Amino acid sequence: MNVWRRLSGRRRAVALAGASALVAGGLVTLPVTAAHAATQCDVTYTTNDWQGGFTANVTIRNVGDALSNWTLGFTFPDANQRLVQGWSARWSQSGRNVTAQNESWNGNLATGASTSLGFNGSWSGSNPKPTSFTVNGVACNGGTTPTTAPPTTTPPTSPPPPTTPPPTTPPPTTPPPTTPPPGTKVDNPYVGARGYVNPEWKAKAESVSGGNRISNTPTGVWLDRIAAIEGTDNSQSNGPMGLRDHLDEALRQNAQYIQVVIYNLPGRDCAALASNGELKADELPKYKAEYIDPIAAIQGDPKYRNLRIINIIEIDSLPNLVTNTSGNPGGTAMCDTVKANGAYVQGVGYALAKLGAIPNVYNYIDAGHHGWIGWDSNFTPTAQILREAAGASGATVNHVHGFITNTANYSALVEPYAKVTDSVNGQTVRQSDWIDWNQYNDEQSFAQAFRQELVRQGFPSNIGMLIDTSRNGWGGSNRPTAAGPTTSVNAYVDGGRVDRRIHKGNWCNQAGAGLGERPTAAPASGIDAYVWIKPPGESDGSSREIPNNDGKGFDRMCDPTYQGNERNGNSMSGALPDAPISGAWFPAQLSELMRNAYPPLS
């Protein structure tokens, strides 16, 4: 299993990287020109447009004396532009003139402070951007025209609906999703929302040739140890950013969601070595008091109430209790221990209850992947143990917003040429060595079916699934374009499968892998989003033993010379050579992932 470890970078460099993210994202700051002693202001105005409508996001930054109230004003350039529905202010329109007066809770703006607000609008003909803004009657523009900001995730295919019909409505083939004001709980937190770009990963990605093509992609922020919560990022340190640093940076970016990986269970990753954790199997009280409680305190800060905090809960934990305990091939004593003492079930339950009590938090539990859970013997038992955890330590199913599959793994999203329903010469392809009687051969069909099983086990019917597509593209010259020959089920499947791993049990730094689908909201039935939770270019584990102070072990599955074990059919590991410890930066891997991306990078 993979751990993302933050690498050091000077605070100034991080700030500059964050600034470049704003420029790359199309954010335009309009500097003050009016000579008023008390009120001085910067206004940032960005939009996501579609035919006949748009969503505008506005940030006001006070660069003058402290304000106890404010009124924003601007004029639409076109008479057919209309304000439809706004939030975080009292919005009104008269003719072309638009005003937004502060709410009671965001009227105070100290010097240097910012506040974010927005609205849905409609247009016909064209949708030019306002070029002049005022705050309390004082001009904030310097003659720079705002531009439309390219979203860091794939933009919505249709607009959020207004409370009253706009003059021009979207085509009937793309019904509009609902996008309520910030801070309101939504069914799918990814729809119509802009994700947080981690400036630390962005800088690393851009250090690799061609990395700027993906560096504005939202990725997960991994909290893989207690020290990662606070970080060491300050003006006197070269250390990594902590959770609050990331949340503050998300506000500065005007991001609407941030993805945080909760990953520090006692006896973590009980069936592997490369990403073992800092807490022993009997340290559940420490996990609660020193890890989950501080995270909850930070995420619950009212300043973040309008930010959707999406927690990915404990990668590769609960499924281990089904497949890697005694009586299973390769079962371990550590998995037996954490099953017997309840460390995983109670730990996950506590995290769900504590974090799920925060109104703007969305919890998604890790649910393995099809090459692990897709067999009949694993499928329902795993859903049952997930349900058990959702009722432990004060948790309920209402603290679970959904589940995620394929986190930091390589399982193909869709296998177009090797489907489990296919037959060759009267034999089902499930008999092939690759599929090995699994009920699924790709991640999307598994995630959709597993969602239905979770509902049968008692989870709400509106739960959603995420699929980590950061490294499951399998493009490049080796990607098949048709099914294999029909001489045998093995020839048919092996010739046509896009997942080119030697064995589905291989998980460490896989050679030949590529970037997968870019993060996309609501791409398929039951799927809330394709996401990049594992930041591409972060190692899964070292290819040889490397002494370190992070407690990272050496797992032979990361050794390219390893000939395997019973879990992977005694196959070669398929791992890349010269890899650093788990979580460390591995530029050669990122280069290969970009080269083999599917869809290809432009």
Side-chain angles (χ1 to χ4, degrees), residues 67-132:
L67 299 176
S68 59
N69 58 76
W70 49 264
T71 299
L72 171 73
F74 62 86
T75 300
F76 280 135
D78 192 290
N80 292 317
Q81 293 172 296
R82 301 296 301 173
L83 167 73
V84 175
Q85 175 188 20
W87 52 85
S88 298
R90 289 167 288 164
W91 291 87
S92 62
Q93 180 174 354
S94 176
R96 297 186 188 181
N97 299 320
V98 178
T99 58
Q101 294 180 298
N102 66 269
E103 299 283 9
S104 59
W105 51 266
N106 63 356
N108 292 319
L109 278 183
T111 301
S114 299
T115 190
S116 297
L117 51 154
F119 65 92
N120 291 334
S122 64
W123 59 275
S124 61
S126 63
N127 190 36
K129 308 301 180 288
T131 59
S132 177

Side-chain angles (χ1 to χ4, degrees), residues 456-514:
R456 281 193 290 270
Q457 295 299 327
F459 287 98
S461 60
N462 65 337
I463 59 169
M465 304 296 289
L466 306 177
I467 302 175
D468 188 348
T469 59
S470 58
R471 302 184 302 179
N472 71 344
W474 296 104
S477 59
N478 290 327
R479 183 179 176 90
T481 58
T486 57
T487 52
S488 69
V489 290
N490 281 334
Y492 179 85
V493 171
D494 288 341
R497 60 182 171 91
V498 298
D499 185 339
R500 304 313 298 171
R501 285 179 293 177
I502 298 170
H503 190 276
K504 284 189 181 183
N506 291 351
W507 54 266
C508 191
N509 299 325
Q510 291 299 284

Side-chain angles (χ1 to χ4, degrees), residues 284-539:
L284 181 58
K286 186 174 182 179
Y287 173 81
K288 294 178 177 180
E290 298 184 30
Y291 182 68
I292 295 299
D293 287 357
I295 292 173
I298 294 171
Q299 292 188 352
D301 189 324
K303 72 185 291 188
Y304 307 124
R305 63 179 171 265
N306 289 334
L307 180 64
R308 299 172 187 174
I309 301 174
I310 299 168
N311 287 323
I312 308 301
I313 304 294
E314 294 296 352
I315 309 307
D316 275 7
S317 60
L318 296 169
N320 273 307
L321 305 185
V322 174
T323 67
N324 291 319
T325 52
S326 296
N328 294 290
T332 70
M334 178 61 77
C335 289
D336 287 343
T337 298
V338 295
K339 182 176 183 178
N341 71 8
Y344 281 13
V345 168
Q346 297 300 323
V348 168
Y350 187 82
L352 292 172
K354 194 77 175 181
L355 302 174
I358 303 169
N360 55 308
V361 161
Y362 301 76
N363 289 326
Y364 288 82
I365 310 176
D366 185 79
H369 54 85
H370 87 273
W372 182 6
I373 307 303
W375 284 273
D376 292 336
S377 58
N378 301 338
F379 192 80
T380 296
T382 298
Q384 290 171 338
I385 204 158
L386 291 168
R387 177 62 183 87
E388 181 184 353
S393 297
T396 73
V397 293
N398 295 323
H399 292 126
V400 180
H401 204 76
F403 298 83
I404 181 169
T405 74
N406 203 49
T407 312
N409 207 268
Y410 299 85
S411 296
L413 181 65
V414 174
E415 285 284 4
Y417 313 119
K419 300 182 180 298
V420 293
T421 53
D422 293 343
S423 296
V424 176
N425 301 323
Q427 289 185 306
T428 172
V429 298
R430 291 182 62 215
Q431 296 182 42
S432 66
D433 293 340
W434 175 255
I435 299 177
D436 191 24
W437 296 104
N438 198 312
Q439 294 284 9
Y440 305 94
N441 195 36
D442 59 36
E443 206 57 29
Q444 185 150 290
S445 63
F446 165 75
Q448 290 170 323
F450 196 58
R451 177 188 174 279
Q452 294 175 353
E453 179 63 27
L454 290 161
V455 172
R456 281 193 290 270
Q457 295 299 327
F459 287 98
S461 60
N462 65 337
I463 59 169
M465 304 296 289
L466 306 177
I467 302 175
D468 188 348
T469 59
S470 58
R471 302 184 302 179
N472 71 344
W474 296 104
S477 59
N478 290 327
R479 183 179 176 90
T481 58
T486 57
T487 52
S488 69
V489 290
N490 281 334
Y492 179 85
V493 171
D494 288 341
R497 60 182 171 91
V498 298
D499 185 339
R500 304 313 298 171
R501 285 179 293 177
I502 298 170
H503 190 276
K504 284 189 181 183
N506 291 351
W507 54 266
C508 191
N509 299 325
Q510 291 299 284
L515 301 171
E517 290 282 349
R518 312 324 171 236
T520 308
S525 175
I527 309 298
D528 279 357
Y530 300 148
V531 293
W532 282 13
I533 296 303
K534 173 70 173 181
E538 303 282 1
S539 175

Side-chain angles (χ1 to χ4, degrees), residues 21 152 195-202 215-219 249 253 255:
T152 55
Y196 169 62
V197 177
N198 182 345
E200 294 183 311
W201 179 77
K202 174 182 170 66
S215 60
N216 283 317
T217 304
T219 55
E249 174 65 12
Q253 290 182 17

